[in-house]
Amino acid sequence: MKEYKKANYHTHTYRCNHALGTDEEYVLEAIKNGYDLLGFSDHVMLPWSNNKHYVRAVYSEKEGYIKSIRALKEKYKDQIDIIVGFECEWHKIFYDYYKGLLENKEVDYLILGNHYMDYDFETGEFGFGGLPTDCKEYALRYIESSIEAMKTGLFIMFAHPDFFMSYFHDFDDEIKEKCYEMCKVAKEYNVALEINQGCIISGKKDHFDPQLNENRYRYPYEPFWKIVSEVGNVVVTNTDAHYPYAFSITKAREEAFELAKKYNIQISNYIKH
């Protein structure tokens, strides 16, 4: 197992339509900031959808994405290790496609990035199952969907596993119990959990949580990470970079490490891929 001093497994590209910068600019910025492993994991392109969408590239861009990252891997091989993968929503209908990406060695890894729960084949649109994202039913369905995804063995990492707390506040005993279950499944299936720096990088700690009686980031959500500490999961932290200079915002990385330290969590710089 190779030891990395500084790794990032969660990096997007301009192809997803909500990120900026060239692929090479991300590499150069990562090198400048001391990273020795850079994983590109743009939002997965889906073969049955060529509709322009603001959160992912059309399928016809997949080959160019992979070729570009592979070329950068070779160009900068003496300075940084580069791997290529996808951040994936979960729905059981995607299983064969995701499995094929790995078995055919098109990509090096997949990370779970659950944002939605429903998918419409006709429109290529994802949705929340008709549920408002601040309701308990949404939170429970999110957790159940994530548990199902991790049990497939397809994913090496779960990005922002506390995403469901973005607009939800009632972190009650039932939700806590489901989070324990989710974390235990992650541990059993060797899925690392990510302290995501995206909201920290944006600097928007302006989400008022009536239960905590304070403003907070949408995520990371501290009470969730207390559970992670108790379960003993493998934990990583990533920039969730949507622009190259995300690697230069050292304050976000420092805050992620401070959160981990608060709950006696050891942050890993390596996930088997």
Side-chain angles (χ1 to χ4, degrees):
M1 183 179 80
K2 183 171 182 177
E3 290 292 332
Y4 292 99
K5 294 179 293 184
K6 201 171 181 182
N8 191 83
Y9 290 86
H10 194 169
T11 311
H12 293 282
T13 78
Y14 68 90
R15 297 169 186 82
C16 70
N17 302 310
H18 60 283
L20 303 172
T22 67
D23 301 341
E24 189 163 20
E25 285 174 331
Y26 285 88
V27 173
L28 293 173
E29 199 71 18
I31 292 171
K32 185 177 79 173
N33 284 280
Y35 286 85
D36 49 1
L37 174 70
L38 179 60
F40 281 88
S41 54
D42 213 352
H43 294 281
V44 65
M45 296 86 166
L46 301 171
W48 42 80
S49 177
N50 265 312
N51 297 330
K52 189 76 172 178
H53 199 277
Y54 72 97
V55 295
R56 75 188 65 251
V58 294
Y59 184 68
S60 57
E61 293 184 77
K62 186 187 79 167
E63 183 179 353
Y65 162 67
I66 294 172
K67 286 180 66 174
S68 172
I69 307 308
R70 296 290 191 208
L72 290 169
K73 173 184 176 71
E74 179 62 24
K75 181 175 181 179
Y76 292 97
K77 63 184 179 182
D78 295 330
Q79 298 178 66
I80 189 170
D81 284 349
I82 298 175
I83 55 178
V84 60
F86 285 118
E87 179 184 8
C88 304
E89 308 289 345
W90 173 247
H91 193 294
K92 60 185 178 182
I93 58 176
F94 301 150
Y95 175 79
D96 288 338
Y97 172 56
Y98 291 167
K99 185 180 180 183
L101 289 172
L102 295 170
E103 289 182 344
N104 297 329
K105 302 188 184 304
E106 291 185 73
V107 295
D108 301 309
Y109 70 112
L110 299 177
I111 64 176
L112 176 63
N114 252 0
H115 302 85
Y116 309 97
M117 289 169 292
D118 292 335
Y119 182 74
D120 187 321
F121 266 99
E122 290 187 7
T123 64
E125 296 287 335
F126 284 89
F128 299 104
L131 298 169
T133 55
D134 61 353
C135 78
K136 187 172 184 176
E137 186 180 353
Y138 163 77
L140 290 171
R141 283 190 59 187
Y142 177 95
I143 295 169
E144 286 293 345
S145 171
S146 301
I147 289 172
E148 181 182 284
M150 290 189 290
K151 285 183 175 180
T152 65
L154 294 172
F155 306 102
I156 66 165
M157 187 189 90
F158 186 0
H160 41 63
D162 44 353
F163 178 88
F164 70 95
M165 291 301 300
S166 292
Y167 304 107
F168 178 65
H169 304 119
D170 191 12
F171 201 66
D172 63 11
D173 289 342
E174 183 180 9
I175 295 294
K176 289 177 184 176
E177 189 62 33
K178 293 302 294 184
C179 286
Y180 274 106
E181 181 184 350
M182 184 167 73
C183 291
K184 288 175 182 177
V185 169
K187 186 175 182 179
E188 179 182 355
Y189 287 85
N190 299 313
V191 179
L193 300 180
E194 176 200 63
I195 298 179
N196 187 285
Q197 299 169 33
C199 292
I200 306 174
I201 288 171
S202 71
K204 294 180 180 178
K205 199 172 187 177
D206 56 2
H207 185 72
F208 182 73
D209 189 320
Q211 191 172 33
L212 298 176
N213 195 33
E214 64 182 15
N215 284 353
R216 65 169 173 89
Y217 299 118
R218 288 172 52 206
Y219 49 83
Y221 179 71
E222 283 204 26
F224 174 84
W225 291 98
K226 182 176 183 295
I227 292 173
V228 172
S229 173
E230 293 171 4
V231 174
N233 294 92
V234 173
V235 174
V236 294
T237 184
N238 295 297
T239 62
D240 194 356
H242 284 74
Y243 30 79
Y245 66 85
F247 294 109
S248 296
I249 304 176
T250 56
K251 175 181 176 293
R253 183 174 170 85
E254 289 167 1
E255 279 198 39
F257 272 85
E258 286 170 8
L259 172 61
K261 184 178 180 180
K262 181 175 181 179
Y263 293 102
N264 198 30
I265 293 171
Q266 180 69 39
I267 290 182
S268 174
N269 281 317
Y270 177 82
I271 313 174
K272 187 177 180 180
H273 54 269

